[in-house]
Amino acid sequence: MAGNKERSFIAIKPDGVQRGLMGDVIKRFEQKGFKLVAAKFLQASEELLKQHYIDLKDQPFYSGLVKYTSSGPVLAMVWEGLNVVKTVRVMLGETDPADSKPGTIRGDFCMQLGRNLIHGSDAVASAEKEIALWFKPEELVAYNSCAESYLYE
């Protein structure tokens, strides 16, 4: 797997935290075979979220997204594995839960776009940027999972 290892930034938003869905979300990523390498539970500041969502600053929903995501605690995580960015995006479902298929996180747990539970990096480059924004390098834990030989050839 070494040549295909990548990381993705995932954040469970205040609606997922308040609804008690953190464990369900983590379980799905673990069951898939991804490895958690960093996590922190925090109340994200509006300033951090403005930087995180900077690519959306010209969208009409930008300020509401920043305000909502800063309204309660979030669980910020870094997951590692083969094609993790692309695979996680499929597991999340469409941004609008109404368009998400059953079996996806948003398809199973969400009702409306403004409460879509979770953020996942949309590309490897954005994942690297988001990880650097939310985590210091020393907060990322490098370790070999005993399951890797059962997951990868």
Side-chain angles (χ1 to χ4, degrees), residues 58-108:
D58 295 327
Q59 298 295 323
F61 58 83
Y62 173 75
S63 62
L65 176 62
V66 169
K67 183 175 179 167
Y68 176 69
T69 309
S70 67
S71 71
V74 299
L75 179 61
M77 301 173 284
V78 179
W79 289 87
E80 184 177 274
L82 180 66
N83 299 317
V84 68
V85 172
K86 180 180 176 182
T87 304
V88 163
R89 294 290 290 186
V90 172
M91 292 173 70
L92 296 182
E94 299 299 321
T95 303
D96 186 342
D99 297 328
S100 295
K101 294 180 181 175
T104 64
I105 291 169
R106 291 179 178 138
D108 290 349

Side-chain angles (χ1 to χ4, degrees), residues 23-35 79 91 151:
D24 291 311
V25 171
I26 290 169
K27 182 177 181 177
R28 288 182 183 219
F29 296 140
E30 287 180 325
Q31 286 177 326
K32 181 67 178 176
F34 295 132
K35 180 171 64 173
W79 289 87
M91 292 173 70
L151 292 165

Side-chain angles (χ1 to χ4, degrees), residues 11-13 15-16 19 53 65 68-69 92-98 100 105-107 109-120:
I12 300 176
K13 298 177 187 178
D15 49 322
R19 293 178 55 210
Y53 290 118
L65 176 62
Y68 176 69
T69 309
L92 296 182
E94 299 299 321
T95 303
D96 186 342
S100 295
I105 291 169
R106 291 179 178 138
F109 299 128
C110 303
M111 301 282 285
Q112 288 189 306
L113 179 61
R115 300 294 183 267
N116 69 0
L117 195 88
I118 193 164
H119 166 85

Side-chain angles (χ1 to χ4, degrees), residues 8-9 55-56 85-86 89 119-127 130:
S8 185
F9 174 78
D55 294 344
L56 302 173
V85 172
K86 180 180 176 182
R89 294 290 290 186
H119 166 85
S121 300
D122 62 2
V124 173
S126 59
E130 292 169 351

